[in-house]
Amino acid sequence: MNPSTLFDLAGRVAVVTGGNGGIGRSLALGYASAGASVAIIGRNDDKNQQVLGELQEIGHPALAVPLDLSHRGELQPAMQAIETDLGPVDILVNNAGIVSISGGIMQESPEDWDSVIETQLNAVFLLSKLAAKSMMERKAGKIINIGSMYSYFGSGLIPSYSAAKGAIVQLTKSMAIEFAPHNIQVNAIAPGFIETEMTAPVRTAEMKEMNDEIIARTPAGRWGLPDELVGTAVFLASRASDFVTGTLIRVDGGYAIR
Ligand code: NDP
């Protein structure tokens, strides 16, 4: 096997939810650079169009789908539109996410809880079902879920986020077991603390204490950048990971080891 073609995604179709955001944009551009046709999903169409422009510059077919993943009835038509435009989906990255910085269970409203669980967990279940159905017909596919350090730890600050990211690990393993006979690999990535819009509040003066704690606990001594997740995401989408399933790979500068 030639290592230089092992990671080649030419001819593959990848869907990245939240592909207009910090991490999703990097993954979408990474897949396109590896040769894939890429569809991004996000609510904000201005941001979608910006990333679509960058994808088109790379030169492979690309698509931006304006969609709120919490609108369940719109998921199937969206996946159908992607398939019609780009072809059957080979790679699904469940990356879209929101966080509710409620300060704890006693402060968190049921509405905020539902909205985090709907985006971070229920949409992963629903979209994976749709993608897997088509992947099963072709006996090949890759599903990649985005976990978190809160896949390992609880949080007094963001309990719904932590609940969803914990559940993602078991959902990943469950899908990995069910889909393995169909040659579909399901894995997850647990990013450490990555500089994006979602985490921007932590890097302000108001949350300096938490920021200092993060940097002190991360052996690498810094925040990660979205591009630093691309290598792992391409690995998990490529032939190089055909015998890898049900794993959670940390890309965290060592945060979780102490
Ligand atoms: P961003 O806020 O930069 O991106 C979030 C993305 O999700 C945006 O593209 C947003 O697009 C999309 N999104 C949110 N809600 C919906 C929805 N209902 N329907 C469709 N799209 C939606 O955050 P990150 O890039 O940091 O986060 C990406 C993933 O990585 C998330 O799952 C997050 O939990 C996870 N993560 C992030 C870490 C970090 O340190 N940054 C660490 C660990 C995990 P739009 O608003 O246009 O809908």
Side-chain angles (χ1 to χ4, degrees):
M1 206 173 267
N2 182 348
S4 66
T5 57
L6 211 46
F7 300 93
D8 186 8
L9 301 181
R12 307 282 176 90
V13 174
V15 174
V16 182
T17 73
N20 71 29
I23 291 174
R25 171 184 166 274
S26 280
L27 302 192
L29 295 176
Y31 287 146
S33 300
S37 301
V38 178
I40 57 164
I41 292 176
R43 294 166 300 183
N44 182 322
D45 209 34
D46 290 339
K47 286 186 342 189
N48 283 347
Q49 292 305 319
Q50 219 169 317
V51 176
L52 179 63
E54 294 181 277
L55 286 167
Q56 285 166 338
E57 268 174 41
I58 296 173
H60 306 297
L63 186 67
V65 181
L67 172 69
D68 185 330
L69 289 163
S70 66
H71 297 170
R72 293 184 177 196
E74 295 172 22
L75 302 187
Q76 197 277 336
M79 289 298 273
Q80 185 59 54
I82 292 168
E83 193 153 328
T84 303
D85 208 304
L86 299 181
V89 174
D90 302 294
I91 301 155
L92 169 65
V93 184
N94 288 304
N95 162 80
I98 50 169
V99 64
S100 160
I101 308 179
S102 63
I105 290 290
M106 300 312 284
Q107 285 81 36
E108 179 128 354
S109 71
E111 292 74 23
D112 285 347
W113 172 275
D114 282 347
S115 142
V116 171
I117 298 294
E118 189 64 23
T119 314
Q120 293 271 18
L121 183 61
N122 295 343
V124 175
F125 158 65
L126 294 167
L127 218 55
S128 299
K129 245 167 115 76
L130 292 169
K133 190 161 182 274
S134 147
M135 290 170 178
M136 280 176 185
E137 285 162 15
R138 286 166 292 118
K139 285 255 164 237
K142 304 279 187 181
I143 298 176
I144 298 154
N145 299 324
I146 304 300
S148 160
M149 289 298 97
Y150 298 106
S151 295
Y152 301 95
F153 310 120
S155 170
L157 189 65
I158 49 172
S160 49
Y161 184 90
S162 180
K165 291 303 193 186
I168 279 292
V169 178
Q170 303 307 343
L171 177 59
T172 299
K173 290 180 194 168
S174 299
M175 291 198 292
I177 292 167
E178 184 176 341
F179 299 161
H182 303 278
N183 191 31
I184 300 166
Q185 290 79 47
V186 188
N187 291 289
I189 299 173
F193 288 82
I194 310 294
E195 285 184 22
T196 68
E197 214 174 292
M198 180 183 281
T199 54
V202 185
R203 293 184 299 279
T204 59
E206 291 80 62
M207 295 185 81
K208 186 178 180 312
E209 201 180 325
M210 184 173 172
N211 192 5
D212 288 348
E213 274 172 26
I214 289 167
I215 291 170
R217 182 170 166 173
T218 304
R222 64 174 175 85
W223 283 71
L225 299 173
D227 279 354
E228 290 179 301
L229 297 163
V230 172
T232 305
V234 169
F235 164 65
L236 291 176
S238 73
R239 283 195 304 136
S241 61
D242 279 355
F243 201 53
V244 177
T245 200
T247 58
L248 173 67
I249 301 181
R250 286 189 292 107
V251 183
D252 66 346
Y255 181 90
I257 60 178
R258 66 176 168 204

